[in-house]
């Protein structure tokens, strides 16, 4: 069935059914890399060959192989009618009339109410961006970049001024990270091509990072947040054990790459300072070269040429490299704490096949809103709203939050909001709890 990865039409050998009508059981058999089917609006598609050409990466398609992808499809794509044209050649049939519209453990009532809410928000214009808001975000970054250089050019390269320059550059880099996130999610312009162009400019020229690498990684996180083997953000490379399931599994199997019961301590030495300057940069270089992504490579090179031209005359080559490494380290601390406090303390487990709303709410929490919190996190303190509506401009999150909260209350879904301090502390607390679970399983099971 599925022809081992070849596209099939109803009635052809290998399609599994002559009438092009399928049950969920039949669809769910096609769930491996060489044989992928998925369901969107009750239509069955064979995406095996096409997955490699998917703009968001082949892995995110594979994460929904053998499943209903309707909710994820609607969440990620701004122009559904246009995108569905690409699906027509992949269509092989539809679900049988006796089959429910949603598979496995998904709550039909929650899905219906959420679709109604999303339609209302679309109608009321909550998915329309305010150009001035994003112009100010870009202007902030450019001014900070220029200010950092002017301080050194005018007043010199003393340790104090170098530290001040580094802090300003780190602020610019982090804010650029939040802005590229907006373009990457297609939440600024109506035209997808404009979002892609500005995404490459901000990510490549202002940050020196591959936009495609980010897209392929980040969309997986949104599609299956906190799901082992699907969300790359919980792939800890055996450095940490997270959640309540993985520590016990490691402990029972006597897996001990590191003393995990001390991970809440060595996290401070490994996670925040090294994620961006070490791990991310190695992965970016590897991915760009492996995929032969010469366009992204050119954007990255343009950033380093600009940076070195600005700072080599004052610091020399090695001094400039040291400066950028220190800036990356500062940025990495900021990035890690902001992104982890929304997800790491939440449910982290293997695939449970839950509906979109339940999956996102169980893996995500919010941080209280304030002018500082909104700016400091790039509005990702509204992580729940962002995960439910990834294409929504972030300046509308606070308007949508009460409606999302009401939906969650109606269906008994926990909607967590924390203070910034509690969110930060919970990162360490969750690592300690997971480490203790590992130690107990390792010694006694």
């Amino acid at each position: 069935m599925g022809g081992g990865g070849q596209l099939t039409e109803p009635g052809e050998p290998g399609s599994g059914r002559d009438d092009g009508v399928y049950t969920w059981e039949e669809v769910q058999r096609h769930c491996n890399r060489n044989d992928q089917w998925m369901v969107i609006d009750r239509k069955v598609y064979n995406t095996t060959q096409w997955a490699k050409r998917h703009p968001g990466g082949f892995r995110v398609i594979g994460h929904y192989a053998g499943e209903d992808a309707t909710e994820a499809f609607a969440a990620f794509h701004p122009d559904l009618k246009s995108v569905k044209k690409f699906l027509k050649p992949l269509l092989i049939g539809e679900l049988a009339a006796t089959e429910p519209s949603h598979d496995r453990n998904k709550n039909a009532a929650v899905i219906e109410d959420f679709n109604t809410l999303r339609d209302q928000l679309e109608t009321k214009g909550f998915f329309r961006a305010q150009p001035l808001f994003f112009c100010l975000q870009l202007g902030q970054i450019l001014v900070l970049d220029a200010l950092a250089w002017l301080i050194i050019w005018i007043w010199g390269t003393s340790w104090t001024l170098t530290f001040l320059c580094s802090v300003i550059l780190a602020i610019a880099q982090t804010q650029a990270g939040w802005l590229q996130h907006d373009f990457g999610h297609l939440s600024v312009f109506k035209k997808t091509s404009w979002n892609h162009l500005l995404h490459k400019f901000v990510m490549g020229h202002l940050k020196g990072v591959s936009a495609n690498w980010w897209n392929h990684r980040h969309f997986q996180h949104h599609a299956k947040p906190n799901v082992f083997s699907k969300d790359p953000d919980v792939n800890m490379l055996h450095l940490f054990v997270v959640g309540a399931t993985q520590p016990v599994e490691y402990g029972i199997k006597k897996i001990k790459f590191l003393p995990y019961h001390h991970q809440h301590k060595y996290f401070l030495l490994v996670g925040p300072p090294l994620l961006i300057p070490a791990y991310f940069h190695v992965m970016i270089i590897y991915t760009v070269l492996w995929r032969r992504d010469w366009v992204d490579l050119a954007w990255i090179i343009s950033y380093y040429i600009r940076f070195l031209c600005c700072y080599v005359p004052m610091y020399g080559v090695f001094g400039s490299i040291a400066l950028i490494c220190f800036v990356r380290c500062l940025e990495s601390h900021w990035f890690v704490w902001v992104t982890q406090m929304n997800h790491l303390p939440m449910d982290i487990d293997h695939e449970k096949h839950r509906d979109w709303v339940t999956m996102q709410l169980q893996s995500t929490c919010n941080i209280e809103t304030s002018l500082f919190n909104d700016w400091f996190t790039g509005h990702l303190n509204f992580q729940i709203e962002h995960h439910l509506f990834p294409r929504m401009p972030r300046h509308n999150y606070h308007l949508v939050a009460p409606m999302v909260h009401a939906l969650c209350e109606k269906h008994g879904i926990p909607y967590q909001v924390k203070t910034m301090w509690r969110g930060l502390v919970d990162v360490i607390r969750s690592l300690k709890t997971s480490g203790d679970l590992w130690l107990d399983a390792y010694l006694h099971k």
Side-chain angles (χ1 to χ4, degrees), residues 303-320:
Y303 164 80
Y304 284 102
I305 290 175
R306 175 175 62 85
F307 185 89
L308 293 174
C309 286
C310 288
Y311 290 98
V312 165
M314 293 174 285
Y315 286 103
V317 175
F318 292 109
S320 298

Side-chain angles (χ1 to χ4, degrees), residues 17 38 44-45 59 63 82 95 120 138 184 236 253 273 292 296 312-313 316 335 339 360 365 368 381 387 438 441:
R17 295 283 290 270
M38 66 170 54
V44 182
Y45 300 92
R59 287 189 176 89
H63 295 341
S82 175
L95 291 174
Q120 291 174 349
L138 179 59
M236 298 296 176
K253 296 176 182 178
R292 298 182 180 181
D296 272 14
V312 165
F335 174 82
T339 56
Q360 303 296 347
C365 68
E368 288 180 346
N381 50 331
H387 266 255
W438 169 82

Side-chain angles (χ1 to χ4, degrees), residues 133-147 168 171-176 178-179 206 334 375-376 378 394:
F133 175 87
F134 292 104
C135 286
L136 291 174
Q137 298 302 316
L138 179 59
Q140 169 195 207
I141 296 160
L142 297 177
V143 168
L144 288 170
D145 249 353
L147 179 62
I168 294 173
I171 294 172
Q173 284 294 296
T174 303
Q175 292 300 321
W178 305 147
L179 182 59
L206 296 185
W334 191 337
W375 173 83
F376 186 77
R394 55 170 147 139

Side-chain angles (χ1 to χ4, degrees), residues 240 263-273 336-337 427-428 431:
F240 307 98
Q263 64 178 3
H264 60 292
K265 301 173 186 175
Y266 66 73
F267 167 79
L268 301 172
L269 302 175
V270 177
V336 168
W337 287 108
V427 172
I428 302 299
L431 287 170

Side-chain angles (χ1 to χ4, degrees), residues 198-209:
L198 267 295
H199 188 217
K200 288 190 179 296
F201 170 74
V202 175
M203 198 60 157
H205 186 67
L206 296 185
K207 287 188 62 62
V209 178

Side-chain angles (χ1 to χ4, degrees), residues 27 50 88 146 157 205 216 254 261 294 340 349 378 383 386 441:
V27 171
W50 182 79
K88 286 184 179 180
T157 58
H205 186 67
H216 294 179
K254 309 306 176 188
H261 54 299
W294 309 130
Q340 294 309 303
D349 210 334
Q383 194 75 214
H386 171 57

Side-chain angles (χ1 to χ4, degrees), residues 156-401:
T157 58
S158 68
W159 285 105
T160 302
L161 291 176
T162 297
F163 180 77
L164 178 60
C165 170
S166 300
V167 171
I168 294 173
L169 285 175
I171 294 172
Q173 284 294 296
T174 303
Q175 292 300 321
W178 305 147
L179 182 59
Q180 69 81 22
H181 182 259
D182 299 316
F183 292 120
H185 276 295
L186 311 179
S187 61
V188 181
F189 297 108
K190 289 183 179 180
K191 288 189 176 182
T192 300
S193 58
W194 292 7
N195 283 299
H196 287 324
L197 178 60
L198 267 295
H199 188 217
K200 288 190 179 296
F201 170 74
V202 175
M203 198 60 157
H205 186 67
L206 296 185
K207 287 188 62 62
V209 178
S210 166
N212 287 336
W213 166 84
W214 181 89
N215 277 339
H216 294 179
R217 178 185 176 90
H218 192 65
F219 291 162
Q220 294 181 72
H221 163 69
H222 270 272
K224 295 288 184 177
N226 284 11
V227 175
F228 290 123
S229 78
K230 294 188 176 182
D231 180 1
D233 288 2
V234 294
N235 175 16
M236 298 296 176
L237 303 175
H238 303 301
L239 292 174
F240 307 98
V241 288
V242 293
T245 300
Q246 187 186 54
V248 176
E249 292 176 347
Y250 271 47
I252 291 174
K253 296 176 182 178
K254 309 306 176 188
I255 298 175
K256 185 183 179 182
F257 290 96
L258 288 167
Y260 296 121
H261 54 299
H262 292 300
Q263 64 178 3
H264 60 292
K265 301 173 186 175
Y266 66 73
F267 167 79
L268 301 172
L269 302 175
V270 177
L274 296 180
L275 181 68
I276 289 179
Y279 178 66
F280 274 8
H281 274 72
V282 169
M283 291 303 300
I284 290 166
I285 294 170
Y286 169 79
T287 303
V288 168
L289 295 179
W290 178 64
R291 291 178 180 162
R292 298 182 180 181
D293 192 346
W294 309 130
V295 173
D296 272 14
L297 181 60
W299 279 108
I300 293 170
I301 291 173
S302 75
Y303 164 80
Y304 284 102
I305 290 175
R306 175 175 62 85
F307 185 89
L308 293 174
C309 286
C310 288
Y311 290 98
V312 165
M314 293 174 285
Y315 286 103
V317 175
F318 292 109
S320 298
I321 293 174
L323 175 64
I324 196 171
C325 288
F326 183 57
V327 170
R328 295 295 194 205
C329 183
L330 293 176
E331 177 196 1
S332 187
H333 278 83
W334 191 337
F335 174 82
V336 168
W337 287 108
V338 168
T339 56
Q340 294 309 303
M341 65 183 176
N342 296 115
H343 292 296
L344 197 62
M346 305 302 290
D347 181 53
I348 304 175
D349 210 334
H350 299 289
E351 178 65 83
K352 293 182 179 178
H353 302 289
R354 296 170 293 199
D355 58 84
W356 183 257
V357 175
T358 303
M359 176 178 65
Q360 303 296 347
L361 267 292
Q362 290 186 359
S363 61
T364 307
C365 68
N366 279 2
I367 301 299
E368 288 180 346
T369 182
S370 70
L371 287 176
F372 175 78
N373 286 358
D374 294 353
W375 173 83
F376 186 77
T377 65
H379 291 85
L380 293 181
N381 50 331
F382 290 98
Q383 194 75 214
I384 291 173
E385 287 68 34
H386 171 57
H387 266 255
L388 291 177
F389 309 106
R391 293 184 292 103
M392 180 177 288
R394 55 170 147 139
H395 52 67
N396 288 332
Y397 292 160
H398 72 285
L399 301 173
V400 173

Side-chain angles (χ1 to χ4, degrees), residues 46-57:
N46 186 332
T47 60
T48 309
Q49 297 288 4
W50 182 79
K52 295 179 181 179
R53 302 194 299 274
H54 180 234

